[in-house]
Amino acid sequence: MKGKDFLSITDLEPDEVSQMVSKAREMKNTGVPRLLDGKTVALIFEKPSLRTRVSFEVGVQQMGGTCIYLSPMDIGELGVREPVSDVARVLDRLVDVIVARVFDHESLATLAAETDIPVVNALSDLAHPCQALGDLITMSEVKGRLEGLRVAYIGDGNNIASSLALGCASVGADFVIAAPSDYHVPSDAWEEARRRAFEKESLLEWVEDPKRAVDGADVVYTDVWISMGDESEADERRRVFSQYQVNEDLMELADGGAVFMHDMPAHRGEEVSEGILDHKSSVVYAQAENRLHAQNAILTELLLR
Ligand code: NVA
C-alpha cells in the first residue's frame, strides 16, 4: 500500500492487487482479526447505498468496531455546510477510520490530505476501488485464475469501468471495454491501466461494438447507464447506450463458460435484459457478498500499517 489511504486501485502496486485478492479469499475462510476493537469508523455517504453501507457495517462489526453512519441528510453535500477540510480535521480527532462515498473525488483527496487516519473510497465520480477488488475476488473464485482471463465490460466508461480496467490490468487479465466514443474511461485511469497492462503483458482495448468485446470473453460485465449524479443526462444516455444492453443473445457470443457480472443496482430493461441477473451465467450475488471480504482485507492492511 503506497500511503495511509485507499482511494484508488493505484494506491496498490500491481502485484499488491493480486496479493490483496489472495488475502481476502483467505480471510473469507479463516475470519477477520479484531483490529477495530474499541474503535470507530465514520461512514460518510453523500449518495444512497445498499451493498457498500451494509458490507462496511458488517465488516467493521466483525472486526470489533462501531460505525457512525452520516447520511446525506446529516452531512449534506460535502463542502456546502462547511469546508471538507473542517469535516476532515474534526473527524480526525474523533474517529479511527473514514469511509466516504462522494460526488467529487476531490473531496476524498481533501479528507485524506487533512487527516492522519485511513480514508477509504466507498465510490466517487471517478473510482470504486472496493468494488473492483471484490470483482477480482469473484472472478478468481469462479474462474480459478485471473491472469489471462478476458473481461468484457459493456457500457459507460464510468467509475466502475475505470477501477475495473485498473484492477484487471494489475493482475494480468485482458480488459476490453465496448463504449460509445464520448463515454470512454477518463484518460488518467486509462493511461495508468495501459502501463500496468504493458507490464503484465495483458491486453487493454476499447471498441465500440459490444459483440466484438464479448467474443471469447470469460467475464461479461456491465453497469448502469445513468450513474448517481448523471440524472440530468438520463434521456440522452438512454439513447446513446440503447445498443449496449447485456442480454441472453449477447451472452451467447461469449465463451461457453462465461459469467455475467454487475456491481448493482441493476436497471432491468436498460443495461440488462429482464432475466439476465437470474441467467445461469450470473454471479451477481456472490459478487455482492465479496464486497465484504475485499473491504475486510483493505481495512486490515490499512490498520496494520
Ligand atoms: N456507476 C454507478 C455505480 C453504483 C454502485 C454510480 O456511480 O452510480
Side-chain angles (χ1 to χ4, degrees):
M1 192 77 91
K2 290 184 186 163
K4 71 172 179 66
D5 311 297
F6 184 59
L7 306 188
S8 162
I9 289 291
T10 57
D11 288 325
L12 297 169
E13 298 292 352
D15 287 341
E16 290 178 322
V17 177
S18 319
Q19 287 158 15
M20 199 61 75
V21 170
S22 304
K23 183 175 173 169
R25 288 192 62 182
E26 193 184 306
M27 288 192 345
K28 185 171 176 176
N29 291 322
T30 58
V32 282
R34 289 183 65 87
L35 292 173
L36 284 169
D37 247 334
K39 297 195 170 170
T40 308
V41 177
L43 302 180
I44 299 178
F45 280 78
E46 287 188 298
K47 305 175 182 179
S49 170
L50 170 69
R51 278 149 294 275
T52 304
R53 178 182 172 185
V54 174
S55 54
F56 267 110
E57 290 215 20
V58 170
V60 168
Q61 210 169 69
Q62 289 175 347
M63 295 174 78
T66 306
C67 285
I68 299 180
Y69 174 66
L70 298 159
S71 75
M73 303 274 277
D74 300 308
I75 202 143
E77 195 172 330
L78 281 170
V80 173
R81 182 162 172 257
E82 58 187 327
V84 185
S85 52
D86 283 353
V87 174
R89 289 174 198 172
V90 171
L91 291 177
D92 196 33
R93 299 281 180 131
L94 295 170
V95 304
D96 303 282
V97 178
I98 297 174
V99 171
R101 167 167 289 192
V102 300
F103 280 101
D104 183 354
H105 194 85
E106 265 308 300
S107 301
L108 280 170
T110 306
L111 287 171
E114 298 287 342
T115 52
D116 292 323
I117 56 175
V119 176
V120 179
N121 182 353
L123 181 145
S124 71
D125 54 338
L126 297 184
H128 199 3
C130 293
Q131 180 70 51
L133 266 187
D135 296 342
L136 294 175
I137 296 170
T138 309
M139 291 177 203
S140 83
E141 283 177 345
V142 298
K143 289 283 159 195
R145 69 196 164 106
L146 289 172
E147 213 174 321
L149 284 183
R150 178 177 168 96
V151 178
Y153 177 98
I154 312 301
D156 191 13
N158 58 15
N159 44 8
I160 297 290
S162 298
S163 293
L164 195 63
L166 284 162
C168 288
S170 303
V171 300
D174 294 344
F175 181 85
V176 186
I177 176 171
S181 54
D182 289 343
Y183 295 86
H184 192 26
V185 171
S187 58
D188 282 2
W190 193 250
E191 287 314 314
E192 178 58 24
R194 193 188 293 291
R195 274 191 286 279
R196 291 182 177 218
F198 181 76
E199 193 182 303
K200 296 285 171 184
E201 297 181 3
S202 61
L203 181 82
L204 186 80
E205 197 184 1
W206 167 67
V207 296
E208 280 201 56
D209 181 4
K211 295 194 181 84
R212 254 188 76 191
V214 300
D215 185 20
D218 301 292
V219 176
V220 177
Y221 195 121
T222 192
D223 181 29
V224 292
W225 295 338
I226 303 147
S227 284
M228 293 178 275
D230 291 338
E231 291 79 4
S232 64
E233 302 167 14
D235 291 347
E236 171 69 359
R237 283 173 168 269
R238 282 194 189 98
R239 191 184 63 72
V240 171
F241 286 107
S242 60
Q243 300 306 310
Y244 287 81
Q245 185 185 75
V246 175
N247 51 36
E248 289 72 1
D249 290 345
L250 194 69
M251 282 307 294
E252 280 296 309
L253 303 177
D255 183 75
V259 295
F260 167 71
M261 296 180 71
H262 192 308
D263 50 290
M264 302 175 85
H267 294 159
R268 292 166 173 84
E270 288 193 7
E271 81 279 2
V272 285
S273 57
E274 283 297 329
I276 204 76
L277 269 76
D278 300 313
H279 192 255
K280 59 181 187 327
S281 63
S282 169
V283 295
V284 296
Y285 302 109
Q287 188 186 352
E289 182 197 326
N290 281 330
R291 292 292 307 282
L292 169 68
H293 307 298
Q295 290 154 196
N296 283 351
I298 284 292
L299 286 174
T300 301
E301 181 70 22
L302 292 172
L303 291 162
L304 286 176
R305 283 175 50 82

